[in-house]
């Protein structure tokens, strides 16, 4: 039976995308892993791979189409022995997401199996189907091989997108041998459905346009990134109980140390920025105050062991927050090189989802724009974000009571009170300040 290929969710926040380019045409034979198309998500342009083998029978959505909803059929794949006459009528309309039954554990709504139709992924009741009424996602070829081998697909762990069972999984499985369920799956309770909450809404589009009917203006269409930024930041401010901690940091010792290091590293083509030191200082502070290295997970906290630090990068029409993983383990020069690479690819919209998803702590630096201080919005599920202002020469009273001049940088730590209490947040910020005011400590 022909398989509908659906518009996939290629990033965690993607609801629709642009089908930028087809890399196959009708009649082409494809194998698992072949690139079918390039799709522009709300964050980047990504390649979409085939998860099974077959022939491209019909392309439903032309290249360049914008606003294609996730789960919309974009093409039809034919299996061996099938022809275009077997396709029938296929409508390029979004497929509804299956609702969990009362007996099935609740799972987050997501498009089925990496862009392949959930109808075709559903198990048969015979020959490698499901057991106990539990829905199993598998490719038609995997189901056929499972039936020949006498395998129960509900006992096979899928390695395809969203856990979908593919050909390689059933070929590697042995009859009567079940894959051991993960500890996480065994211990995770069914997710509780949150009570619907009515969020306050602003004036309608029509009402706002009416206000400015007699004024000259340009209407700017929202792209996927702008919609995502608006949605997530509105959610963050409405659902996260922010509180703010502020400190001034004396930068003179760091600036002198940075200048010395850059002179010594010039031959290697390395130039450290103040932001590289801030990343390192934050990563080490999360190790010093491990209880603050945590994220909010609906009904629990997740305390991370590594320091995965996200850094906000401005791009045309929005921003990315690429994550530097295990930042506490990396040298300043390694962090500098990685940050430059991530920032460049963020501006080119070439980051993969795993490069901007995750982290427990974020940094937003507007100092290069001359901003003295500001309050940043927490990026859920992070526990905190550090807003960094410019280093400015100011008069200060020294330890001996004498008036002197120092370079002062103002920072504000925005904290999720569900994750980090006031005293804990103050302890974290103190550790960051100590690292930056005593930069040699970060190399010890």
């Amino acid at each position: 039976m022909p398989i509908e290929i659906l518009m996939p969710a290629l990033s965690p926040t993607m609801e629709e995308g642009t089908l930028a380019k087809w890399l196959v045409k009708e009649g082409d034979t494809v194998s698992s892993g072949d690139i079918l198309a390039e799709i522009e998500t709300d964050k980047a342009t990504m390649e979409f791979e085939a998860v099974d083998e077959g022939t491209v029978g019909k392309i439903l959505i032309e290249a360049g189409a914008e606003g294609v909803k996730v789960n919309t059929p974009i093409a039809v794949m034919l299996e061996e022995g099938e022809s275009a006459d077997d396709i029938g009528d296929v409508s390029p309309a979004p497929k509804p997401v299956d609702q969990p039954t009362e007996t099935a554990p609740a799972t987050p709504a997501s498009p089925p199996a990496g862009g392949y139709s959930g109808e075709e992924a559903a198990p048969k009741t015979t020959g490698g189907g499901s057991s106990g009424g539990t829905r199993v996602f598998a490719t038609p070829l995997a189901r056929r091989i499972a039936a020949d081998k006498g395998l129960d697909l509900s006992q096979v762990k899928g390695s395809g997108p969203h856990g979908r069972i593919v050909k390689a999984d059933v070929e590697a499985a042995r009859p009567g041998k079940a894959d051991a369920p993960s500890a996480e799956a065994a211990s995770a309770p069914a997710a509780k459905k949150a009570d619907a909450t009515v969020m306050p809404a602003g004036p309608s589009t029509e009402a706002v346009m009416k206000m400015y009917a007699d004024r000259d203006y340009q209407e700017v269409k929202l792209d996927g990134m702008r919609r995502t930024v608006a949605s997530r930041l509105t959610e963050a401010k409405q659902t996260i109980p922010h509180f703010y901690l502020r400190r001034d940091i004396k930068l003179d010792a760091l600036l002198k140390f940075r200048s010395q290091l850059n002179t010594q590293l010039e031959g290697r083509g390395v130039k450290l920025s103040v932001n590289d030191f801030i990343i390192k200082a934050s990563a080490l502070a999360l190790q010093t105050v491990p209880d603050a290295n945590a994220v909010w997970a609906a009904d629990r906290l997740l305390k991370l062991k590594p320091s995965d630090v996200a850094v906000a990068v401005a791009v045309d029409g929005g921003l990315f927050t690429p994550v530097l993983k295990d930042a506490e383990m990396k040298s300043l020069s390694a962090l500098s090189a990685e940050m430059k690479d991530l920032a460049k690819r963020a501006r080119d919209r070439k980051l993969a989802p795993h490069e901007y998803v995750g982290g427990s702590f974020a940094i937003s630096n507007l100092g290069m724009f001359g901003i003295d201080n500001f309050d940043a919005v927490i990026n859920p599920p992070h526990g905190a974000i550090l807003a960094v202002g410019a280093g400015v020469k100011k008069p200060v009273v020294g330890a001996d009571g004498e008036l002197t001049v120092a370079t002062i940088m103002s920072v504000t730590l925005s904290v999720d009170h569900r994750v980090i209490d006031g005293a804990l947040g103050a302890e974290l910020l103190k550790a960051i300040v100590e690292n930056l005011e005593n930069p040699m400590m970060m190399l010890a």
Side-chain angles (χ1 to χ4, degrees):
M1 184 175 181
I3 307 167
E4 291 181 3
I5 301 176
L6 308 183
M7 184 69 163
L10 296 178
S11 79
T13 55
M14 180 178 170
E15 295 180 358
E16 61 181 36
T18 297
L19 209 162
K21 181 193 299 183
W22 278 108
L23 301 178
V24 295
K25 60 183 183 296
E26 292 180 2
D28 284 357
T29 300
V30 298
S31 301
S32 177
D34 288 352
I35 307 300
L36 298 179
E38 289 183 358
I39 293 174
E40 293 179 7
T41 73
D42 55 338
K43 295 286 189 182
T45 298
M46 302 184 65
E47 295 176 335
F48 175 40
E49 296 183 0
V51 298
D52 213 343
E53 56 192 38
T55 302
V56 180
K58 186 175 183 180
I59 290 177
L60 303 175
I61 302 292
E62 295 299 321
E66 299 181 355
V68 183
K69 299 289 185 183
V70 168
N71 268 6
T72 299
I74 58 175
V76 178
M77 182 88 76
L78 300 174
E79 295 186 275
E80 185 179 352
E82 295 177 338
S83 68
D85 296 335
D86 299 315
I87 295 175
D89 294 330
V90 181
S91 172
K95 294 285 184 181
V97 177
D98 292 326
Q99 297 296 323
T101 64
E102 292 182 3
T103 57
T107 56
S110 62
Y116 283 70
S117 170
E119 294 176 5
E120 285 304 304
K124 305 280 186 182
T125 55
T126 62
S130 62
S131 66
T134 302
R135 186 174 178 80
V136 176
F137 290 102
T139 66
L141 180 59
R143 286 203 310 271
R144 201 158 57 234
I145 296 173
D148 293 340
K149 296 179 67 174
L151 287 173
D152 181 355
L153 282 179
S154 67
Q155 303 300 316
V156 177
K157 184 177 180 180
S159 62
H162 302 284
R164 191 170 193 247
I165 299 169
V166 296
K167 175 184 175 183
D169 300 323
V170 291
E171 287 181 337
R174 286 179 288 172
K177 181 176 175 61
D179 289 335
S182 67
E184 180 183 353
S187 62
K192 296 180 180 178
K193 184 177 288 186
D195 293 334
T197 304
V198 178
M199 294 295 184
S204 67
T205 301
E206 293 75 15
V208 174
M209 293 180 71
K210 186 176 180 181
M211 292 180 199
Y212 297 93
D214 61 342
R215 309 307 299 161
D216 186 20
Y217 63 82
Q218 176 186 1
E219 188 173 330
V220 179
K221 181 181 177 183
L222 297 182
D223 60 13
M225 175 173 281
R226 195 74 249 163
R227 287 196 195 96
T228 300
V229 169
S231 173
R232 285 181 63 79
L233 294 187
T234 300
E235 173 194 355
K237 289 298 286 185
Q238 290 177 336
T239 62
I240 296 176
H242 288 64
F243 73 91
Y244 307 94
L245 302 171
R246 310 179 202 282
R247 286 286 302 266
D248 285 341
I249 301 174
K250 295 178 182 178
L251 280 186
D252 296 280
L254 186 148
L255 293 176
K256 182 178 179 181
F257 183 52
R258 169 178 170 260
S259 178
Q260 293 171 346
L261 284 178
N262 280 340
T263 299
Q264 296 170 1
L265 294 170
E266 189 174 1
R268 291 165 48 188
V270 176
K271 186 175 182 180
L272 303 176
S273 69
V274 172
N275 210 51
D276 298 329
F277 284 87
I278 296 171
I279 295 168
K280 182 70 172 180
S282 300
L284 292 175
L286 290 169
Q287 296 297 307
T288 303
V289 190
D291 285 345
N293 191 16
V295 298
W296 179 254
D299 62 351
R300 68 199 68 191
L301 302 181
L302 303 183
K303 290 187 177 181
L304 278 70
K305 293 183 179 179
S307 294
D308 296 342
V309 179
V311 180
V313 176
V315 300
D316 289 341
L319 76 160
F320 278 97
T321 52
V323 180
L324 294 102
K325 296 180 179 177
D326 302 300
E328 81 284 5
M329 304 290 292
K330 297 173 180 175
S331 67
L332 284 164
S333 58
L335 288 172
S336 180
E338 184 177 357
M339 189 65 240
K340 287 181 175 67
D341 172 62
L342 289 170
K344 182 181 185 303
R345 289 191 290 115
R347 296 185 183 102
D348 293 337
R349 305 286 182 98
K350 295 296 184 182
L351 289 180
H354 72 272
E355 293 177 306
Y356 58 79
V357 172
S360 64
F361 182 92
I363 296 168
S364 180
N365 190 342
L366 295 180
M368 66 286 292
F369 298 107
I371 301 300
D372 285 337
N373 55 68
F374 66 103
D375 299 341
V377 180
I378 295 170
N379 183 28
H382 292 173
I385 182 170
L386 186 71
V388 181
V392 180
K393 289 190 178 297
K394 295 181 179 181
V396 297
V397 178
D400 57 0
E402 293 292 325
L403 191 64
T404 185
V405 176
T407 304
I408 303 296
M409 180 176 73
S410 176
V411 299
T412 302
L413 186 68
S414 303
V415 185
D416 184 343
H417 215 321
R418 300 171 302 180
V419 180
I420 301 172
D421 291 324
L424 184 62
E427 192 179 348
L428 175 64
L429 185 52
K430 179 184 177 184
I432 294 173
V433 173
E434 288 177 348
N435 287 335
L436 290 172
E437 291 188 340
N438 303 279
M440 291 284 288
M441 291 172 50
M442 291 192 277
L443 302 184

